[in-house]
Amino acid sequence: MKKLFLFIGCISLSLTTISCDKFLDIEPEGKIIPKTTDDYRKFLTTAYQAYPNHKSLTTVRTDEVQINMIEDSEIVTIRDIYAYNDQNPDASTKEIPYETLYKVIFYANSTIIDGAKTMQAGEVKEQLLGEAYALRALAYFDLVNLFAKPYDPATAATAPGIVILNEVEVNSKKPKSTIAEVYKQIHSDIEEAKSRLKVSTYDAGTNYRFSKLAIYALEARVNLYQQQYQAALTSTANALAIKSSLQNLNTTKEVSVANFKSVESIMNLEDVYTQNFNKFIYVSEELKAVFDSENDWRYTVSFDKIGDQLVVVKTGNDATRITFRTAELYFIQAEAYVFLNQLDQATVALQPILENRYKPEAAAAILEQLKGFDQTQYKTFLLEERFREFAFEGHRWNDLRRLDQRKIVHKLGKDEFTLQQNDPRYTLPFPRKARENNPNL
């Protein structure tokens, strides 16, 4: 970016209350305060670039991974995450990026509040405001699913969530809102985004931005997590009406389904897996065991063999940043139908996935098998199918949290670390610095 933008003295949320409006009144020499639509496009690009790679870290907590070596110097940065040691981690441990997500929210707030006043009217302004609302909704959604319990309709109205900060003025002492209030805010931002977004889809290279297609995909995911199954079906229908293509792994294996050029791409923003982790993180025995390695092409194209171990090649580079792809829409449809006990409809939704992932004979056999499933069996199958489909894309931690908080045992050398079934550590504590700066957390 050629022009330097003033990031308004509020990057660190550890500070006490600061009125950012005062900073906006000052335009230092050599720097530009965003005012025009061009300015705010660059401003939002910075917000997109700031979106953190927290999914790499939550993946380390799942049953997708195993660490078989202890000598690499970088292991210390994730060892306590792998060991579920959240209370007293080593000082070198990577921190779940709480503050960075609020930094993204700050950029969105500044665009929504100040950009609305200064940008020239028109479709470009509306698109930018729509993207800002959408980006804020995504950040709140990630925060509440990191630092609060999974959404439960019976308790959401009273269960503590995260802090809602919709002002440019930052108040680090603000109390937490309930989970229900946070989801209400997320839906409000989604509705604002839907009313403003003008771009239906972005082309490869700019598809890190929010579009109409991407906001429907976000809405579908949010509705699913809230167990609002009919609403999730409506959202997926709206998204699939814009784009429904799937990559057929029987014929096209060269490009990862997570690649920003894949026919499945909806929005490719997040770095969901850190490539350096492949030096010491391998595919777990649990994940390998759920694959039909002879008939499921995902096993072949997602992993590479190094000695006796598998490492990930599906994600872990700049071309495989991902937030939403069309396959997720089909899975949301299938899950909604399963929980509504409309199992035939679930199979209709899932059939395109199966036919595009498995060899034809295997896909036909699975579809026949599904005819005999009851609801409980179908739920188990669907969770395993999500395990296969979204391996190392950052979904597994949330899938376990909301569907099956199973026991996980991680091994490192002679040590074992156990996350018990329904363990409280399925919800992350707020980072120490955040708690020190805000006693209300």
Side-chain angles (χ1 to χ4, degrees):
M1 189 179 297
K2 292 182 179 179
K3 297 180 180 178
L4 295 175
F5 281 81
L6 175 63
F7 182 62
I8 307 137
C10 302
I11 288 180
S12 175
L13 295 175
S14 63
L15 300 178
T16 55
T17 303
I18 299 174
S19 175
C20 297
D21 288 335
K22 294 180 180 178
F23 288 89
L24 284 171
D25 292 335
I26 305 170
E27 190 165 339
E29 184 178 355
K31 297 186 179 182
I32 295 176
I33 306 301
K35 295 176 183 176
T36 68
T37 54
D38 286 344
D39 293 341
Y40 273 101
R41 170 50 72 197
K42 295 173 183 177
F43 194 67
L44 274 183
T45 298
T46 303
Y48 283 122
Q49 291 172 340
Y51 212 86
N53 63 341
H54 56 286
K55 290 179 178 176
S56 291
L57 302 181
T58 54
T59 292
V60 173
R61 299 175 74 88
T62 72
D63 53 357
E64 293 171 282
V65 304
Q66 60 184 357
I67 299 178
N68 292 348
M69 60 181 293
I70 57 176
E71 300 302 324
D72 193 284
S73 60
E74 196 169 350
I75 288 179
V76 69
T77 67
I78 56 93
R79 184 185 188 278
D80 281 329
I81 299 173
Y82 183 74
Y84 309 113
N85 178 19
D86 302 323
Q87 296 304 320
N88 189 30
D90 186 272
S92 300
T93 302
K94 291 180 181 290
E95 190 172 87
I96 302 295
Y98 174 88
E99 184 173 312
T100 309
L101 284 165
Y102 277 105
K103 176 180 174 179
V104 172
I105 290 170
F106 167 81
Y107 277 112
N109 288 342
S110 183
T111 303
I112 291 166
I113 296 170
D114 298 302
K117 299 173 186 175
T118 63
M119 284 189 284
Q120 57 270 40
E123 289 196 352
V124 175
K125 174 181 179 178
E126 292 303 303
Q127 175 67 27
L128 290 167
L129 290 173
E131 289 184 39
Y133 277 111
L135 197 55
R136 188 169 75 179
L138 179 64
Y140 280 138
F141 180 72
D142 281 343
L143 281 163
V144 78
N145 281 285
L146 287 167
F147 301 109
K149 292 182 178 179
Y151 187 94
D152 181 346
T155 61
T158 55
I162 50 97
V163 175
I164 296 174
L165 286 174
N166 288 350
E167 306 84 21
V168 176
E169 182 173 318
V170 177
N171 184 349
S172 62
K173 302 293 192 294
K174 193 171 181 180
K176 292 175 288 188
S177 297
T178 66
I179 291 175
E181 289 169 336
V182 176
Y183 272 87
K184 182 179 179 181
Q185 177 63 53
I186 292 167
H187 279 291
S188 175
D189 283 346
I190 288 173
E191 290 302 317
E192 292 286 353
K194 285 162 59 178
S195 70
R196 288 173 165 79
L197 290 169
K198 307 300 180 184
V199 177
S200 293
T201 61
Y202 275 110
D203 294 332
T206 51
N207 52 357
Y208 63 88
R209 301 173 182 172
F210 265 101
S211 61
K212 289 182 180 180
L213 173 59
I215 197 63
Y216 284 128
L218 173 59
E219 184 181 54
R221 187 186 291 176
V222 172
N223 284 330
L224 184 74
Y225 279 40
Q226 283 187 277
Q227 302 169 38
Q228 300 293 323
Y229 300 119
Q230 289 291 355
L233 290 172
T234 299
S235 301
T236 54
N238 288 333
L240 289 169
I242 299 173
K243 185 173 185 176
S244 60
S245 52
L246 289 171
Q247 185 170 324
N248 189 343
L249 296 184
N250 286 286
T251 58
T252 306
K253 304 179 183 65
E254 295 77 17
V255 177
S256 169
V257 293
N259 193 291
F260 76 102
K261 294 182 179 180
S262 169
V263 297
E264 297 191 10
S265 172
I266 291 177
M267 183 176 176
N268 290 64
L269 170 64
E270 297 169 85
D271 182 1
V272 294
Y273 188 69
T274 301
Q275 190 173 33
N276 284 346
F277 287 177
N278 273 350
K279 294 185 295 182
F280 50 84
I281 287 182
Y282 303 102
V283 177
S284 70
E285 295 302 319
E286 291 85 349
L287 179 54
K288 285 189 277 188
V290 300
F291 277 98
D292 175 353
S293 60
E294 294 297 319
N295 294 299
D296 189 339
W297 289 114
R298 292 170 297 192
Y299 187 85
T300 304
V301 302
S302 297
F303 313 118
D304 192 17
K305 197 165 187 178
I306 297 182
D308 295 331
Q309 302 295 336
L310 293 181
V311 295
V312 183
V313 294
K314 170 188 177 184
T315 54
N317 59 72
D318 285 340
T320 56
R321 290 174 176 265
I322 188 168
T323 301
F324 306 108
R325 59 185 177 91
T326 52
E328 184 183 356
L329 301 174
Y330 291 92
F331 273 94
I332 291 173
Q333 278 190 330
E335 185 175 328
Y337 281 126
V338 167
F339 277 84
L340 292 170
N341 205 21
Q342 299 177 29
L343 304 187
D344 289 344
Q345 288 297 103
T347 301
V348 170
L350 204 56
Q351 182 171 347
I353 293 289
L354 301 176
E355 292 177 342
N356 282 278
R357 301 301 188 246
Y358 291 90
K359 294 178 181 179
E361 299 83 359
I366 293 171
L367 288 166
E368 186 64 28
Q369 183 184 29
L370 291 176
K371 294 178 182 178
F373 279 8
D374 61 21
Q375 188 183 38
T376 300
Q377 291 171 313
Y378 215 130
K379 287 178 182 179
T380 300
F381 170 80
L382 193 60
L383 182 59
E384 287 190 351
E385 195 62 33
R386 283 184 65 93
F387 198 11
R388 292 183 278 268
E389 178 68 27
F390 300 114
F392 289 88
E393 290 186 39
H395 287 266
R396 183 63 175 173
W397 180 246
N398 281 337
D399 282 351
L400 290 170
R401 275 169 41 87
R402 66 191 182 85
L403 295 173
D404 179 19
Q405 294 190 9
R406 63 182 58 178
K407 178 180 177 179
I408 302 174
V409 178
H410 281 167
K411 297 179 181 180
L412 183 59
K414 296 181 180 179
D415 297 324
E416 286 192 359
F417 311 101
T418 302
L419 188 68
Q420 299 291 351
Q421 185 174 5
N422 299 321
D423 198 303
R425 290 173 293 177
Y426 266 109
T427 297
L428 298 174
F430 291 98
R432 178 182 56 80
K433 286 192 296 183
R435 285 183 276 117
E436 289 175 353
N437 291 312
N438 184 359
N440 290 313
L441 292 180

